[in-house]
Amino acid sequence: MKTADLRLAAPAAGCWAAAAVALAAPVGVSAGIAAGCVVGGLAAIGWSRSAGEFGRSVAVTAAAVCGVTAASTIVVLLRIIAVDEAPIVAVDGKPVVEVTVAGDPSFSIPGMMSLPVEVEAVRGARQRPVAATLLARSSMVDPLPGERYRVRARVRPPREGVADRLVAARLSAVGELEKIGEAPWWQTVAGRVRERLRDVAARALGERPAGLLPGLVLGDVSGLDQRTSDNFRSAGLTHLVAVSGSNLVLVCGTVILAVRMTGASARTVVAVGAVAIVGFVILVRPSDSVLRAAVMGSVGLVAGLGSRRSQALPALGTAVIVVILLWPQMAVAPGFALSVVATLGLVLWSVPIRRALVIRGMPEAPAMLLSMTLAAQILTTPLLIVLTDTANVLAVPANLLAIPVVGMAGLLGTAAAVVGALGSRYGPGGVLAEFLIRAAGPPTRWLIAVADRLGGPTWSSIEVPGWMTVFVLGGLIAAVLWWRNRTRSAGRRLHRG
């Protein structure tokens, strides 16, 4: 059995922890931590020159941890300083501001939308772009990322909290939004794809399936009704409408497999895979889990170019480091944490659990489904308890019932989204897209039925105090280790026999 490659585990953990601490701590404390890490890294490099083989290995690891920790802290410090010195922070009254849309709107307030933006100018004076949120009437515009608007707005300080440390202000529109710049062409294309998918799904399916399918395919939950959303959450199926690594693997893996079947070279496969990953991220928008999955997939592609088999743990470590350095706010994002720990659970425990089930007589296919579900739940369950103080009692059976049909709905929906954006709304592309979406209807309705049956009962989610997470985590890990030891013992007996 191969030993897990943990070389990037400590640097990734240090990078993540440093960004979270820097977002929470005063600037002076963070600066001290960065300076200490630089000194520690230089000391480790000096020690490595005179140490033995083992000492050199330890010194190199220590230098790497200090290096990425210092880099992560410095990145956050520079972002915080840029926000604190932005003119929008000290402005009074209701100035005219120019903003660029930075993401999708949310609609938690009836009739209003909260839009993530970057402020680029205040009262006509240009400034370095800083993050802000803009509250406006939802009937004003249908914004796309990259579009630029001019609006008179009331300026308020950002909310208190670690997650908003890199947000400069909250803006409330007091006038109409005036568009002054179009979105990049790729965002326009992505917006067209998303809009057409919503339109065709509404035409071909009932209200609830039509609201769910865009969420399964693109993470677009704007049409998802409250009942379905609540039931998915209670049944532990929310990850299905928060596009993540599984969706990326499904879509981009299908594209790569199709190219490989044509006999294309390794370089061509990698190039097409890179285009598929970039296109997928643009289409579904860069959320926490999508960024982690995209970076991890890119690492695997680069390794494939060099004819090396990428190992999952180093790829995950690289993904964490790259994402945190580029988007340090992810260090305190629950979605990113859930995505990483779910992947870690799959990497560490899905194979041992599957082998144990097969040894005990379970067929390969159901053993694989059950092992993936259990492995993902091992670490996500304690984290969810910490975040929500609730536990999903029926999460495992709900996911087992959902997994066989999610891929079918996702692939049919993705194909419909791409085809439906070609030509006119009711042209050949629209007709074929409607056919594909009707084919995706049964698996989508099945997912709704699973959520209604297993998420609807009031006892499907129980309140669990956060402090009990330690006992839950300890019990789960102990159970898995016991199962793994039993599997190894059974394997050795089988080999001797």
Side-chain angles (χ1 to χ4, degrees):
M1 182 177 293
K2 293 183 178 180
T3 303
D5 189 341
L6 300 176
R7 286 174 294 179
L8 287 178
C15 182
W16 194 343
V21 170
L23 286 170
V27 171
V29 174
S30 299
I33 292 174
C37 289
V38 171
V39 172
L42 293 175
I45 292 174
W47 177 41
S48 67
R49 295 174 180 173
S50 58
E53 183 176 352
F54 176 76
R56 188 178 299 112
S57 176
V58 173
V60 169
T61 300
V65 172
C66 290
V68 296
T69 301
S72 179
T73 305
I74 291 170
V75 166
V76 175
L77 280 175
L78 293 176
R79 297 283 186 91
I80 291 175
I81 292 171
V83 167
D84 291 343
E85 295 181 350
I88 190 68
V89 173
V91 75
D92 293 323
K94 302 175 183 177
V96 175
V97 297
E98 295 179 11
V99 300
T100 299
V101 179
D104 288 327
S106 59
F107 302 92
S108 56
I109 303 176
M112 306 293 289
M113 66 176 176
S114 180
L115 191 63
V117 297
E118 290 188 344
V119 181
E120 297 186 342
V122 181
R123 293 179 175 145
R126 308 295 297 178
Q127 68 166 43
R128 180 179 179 180
V130 291
T133 58
L134 175 63
L135 188 66
R137 293 198 306 271
S138 57
S139 59
M140 282 186 177
V141 292
D142 186 12
L144 290 175
E147 288 182 342
R148 296 180 63 240
Y149 290 92
R150 182 184 294 117
V151 62
R152 183 175 296 278
R154 181 183 295 108
V155 181
R156 292 181 294 169
R159 290 185 174 88
E160 295 291 336
V162 176
D164 293 305
R165 189 72 183 277
L166 301 182
V167 177
R170 287 183 292 165
L171 309 176
S172 298
V174 295
E176 296 296 323
L177 272 66
E178 176 189 357
K179 183 184 290 188
I180 58 175
E182 297 292 340
W185 66 267
W186 57 87
Q187 291 290 2
T188 303
V189 172
R192 177 187 176 92
V193 171
R194 294 165 73 92
E195 180 185 3
R196 285 288 181 88
L197 179 62
R198 288 195 298 265
D199 290 347
V200 178
R203 218 165 50 227
L205 302 174
E207 180 180 356
R208 296 181 70 193
L212 176 61
L213 186 62
L216 296 173
V217 177
L218 304 176
D220 181 359
V221 295
S222 58
L224 191 64
D225 64 284
Q226 193 62 44
R227 176 189 172 194
T228 304
S229 177
D230 292 342
N231 288 348
F232 264 65
R233 186 180 302 107
S234 298
L237 298 175
T238 305
H239 62 93
L240 298 181
V241 292
V243 178
S244 60
S246 59
N247 302 76
L248 184 140
V249 170
L250 184 67
V251 176
C252 298
T254 301
V255 173
I256 292 172
L257 181 61
V259 174
R260 296 182 79 173
M261 290 176 64
T262 64
S265 65
R267 290 179 180 271
T268 302
V269 172
V270 171
V272 172
V275 171
I277 290 174
V278 172
F280 181 84
V281 172
I282 292 173
L283 190 60
V284 304
R285 310 285 163 81
S287 63
D288 309 351
S289 53
V290 171
L291 289 174
R292 190 272 311 159
V295 174
M296 189 171 176
S298 301
V299 171
L301 280 174
V302 172
L305 183 62
S307 299
R308 299 187 301 270
R309 184 178 179 181
S310 176
Q311 295 184 345
L313 283 177
L316 180 60
T318 302
V320 170
I321 293 172
V322 172
V323 169
I324 295 297
L325 291 179
L326 293 179
W327 300 278
Q329 63 273 21
M330 295 295 178
V332 293
F336 181 72
L338 286 168
S339 177
V340 171
V341 299
T343 303
L344 183 62
L346 288 171
V347 170
L348 294 177
W349 293 307
S350 62
V351 173
I353 293 175
R354 177 176 59 81
R355 288 174 177 169
L357 295 173
V358 171
I359 288 175
R360 286 159 178 77
M362 181 176 288
E364 182 74 22
M368 181 177 296
L369 292 178
L370 182 57
S371 66
M372 292 177 65
T373 301
L374 291 175
Q377 294 291 327
I378 287 172
L379 293 179
T380 55
T381 296
L383 184 56
L384 283 170
I385 293 173
V386 170
L387 295 173
T388 65
D389 282 341
T390 60
N392 297 321
V393 178
L394 301 177
V396 171
N399 279 274
L400 286 175
L401 292 171
I403 285 175
V405 302
V406 169
M408 186 188 309
L411 283 177
L412 289 171
T414 302
V418 175
V419 172
L422 303 176
S424 63
R425 189 179 300 270
Y426 298 102
V431 173
L432 179 56
E434 184 171 343
F435 173 78
L436 291 170
I437 285 181
R438 290 187 183 278
T444 305
R445 294 187 185 93
W446 170 258
L447 293 174
I448 292 175
V450 170
D452 287 347
R453 298 297 185 276
L454 301 186
T458 55
W459 46 266
S460 60
S461 293
I462 59 175
E463 292 188 4
V464 179
W467 58 267
M468 289 187 62
T469 302
V470 176
F471 299 100
V472 174
L473 179 60
L476 288 171
I477 293 178
V480 171
L481 291 176
W482 173 81
W483 198 300
R484 189 171 185 175
N485 290 333
R486 288 286 302 274
T487 303
R488 286 179 175 177
S489 300
R492 286 194 292 267
R493 289 196 300 270
L494 183 64
H495 182 73
R496 288 196 298 266

